[in-house]
Amino acid sequence: MAELTPLDEKLAEVLGLAQAAQQATTHVAGMEGADAFKPALEKMKDQAAETERRTDGLIDTFEGRKTAIREKARETKTEAVDMMKTYLEGEEEALDGFEFLSMAEAGELCHWEIVQVIAGEAGESDAKTLADWAVDVQQRHVAGVRKAYLGLAAEEAKEMASA
Ligand SMILES: [Fe+2]
């Protein structure tokens, strides 16, 4: 397998996470009580797909390493999807789904910030430009997920009060 740079490895991870995020948003959109959040989840999914496209487009320019990077991305995706299945096993309520998304989206943000710093320090301007865009997108995802779980928590409290 080709020797990957630290930046290659991080790009593989964000690619895998963007792929897994599309599955996670679809899963949560199908959970109980998620109806009001479907448009927001759909938008997050579209942006994850765009992140995947843009990241894969950059990786495509890395001759001699792109196959190994994509392979590592698949591993990351599998691990992230397995984590979701473990966490949400037997869970039906959207609040649980958003709790999982709070971790997944924060993890994506963290990885993109790492890419941003490595690419910036290494003078890799294409990767830096992509990371600048993705960090912004991810900050909005983290904020959107937070808004959703706080809303659902308030609903839970109302149900508790009326029970
Ligand atoms: Fe995301």
Side-chain angles (χ1 to χ4, degrees), residues 17-18 21-22 25 44-45 47-48 51 104-106 108-109 112 134 137-142 145:
L17 292 177
Q22 294 168 62
T25 44
M44 274 175 54
K45 185 186 176 181
Q47 288 174 335
T51 303
E105 295 296 336
E108 271 193 281
L109 174 60
W112 274 112
V137 168
Q138 278 309 129
Q139 277 167 345
R140 276 182 274 129
H141 288 184
V142 169
V145 167

Side-chain angles (χ1 to χ4, degrees), residues 27-63:
H27 183 90
V28 175
M31 294 178 84
E32 262 171 45
D35 281 358
F37 305 102
K38 275 185 180 163
L41 287 165
E42 189 65 32
K43 193 173 175 195
M44 274 175 54
K45 185 186 176 181
D46 289 347
Q47 288 174 335
E50 191 180 351
T51 303
E52 178 186 8
R53 261 196 313 278
R54 287 197 188 197
T55 307
D56 195 64
L58 175 66
I59 289 164
D60 203 52
T61 65
F62 297 169
E63 285 309 329

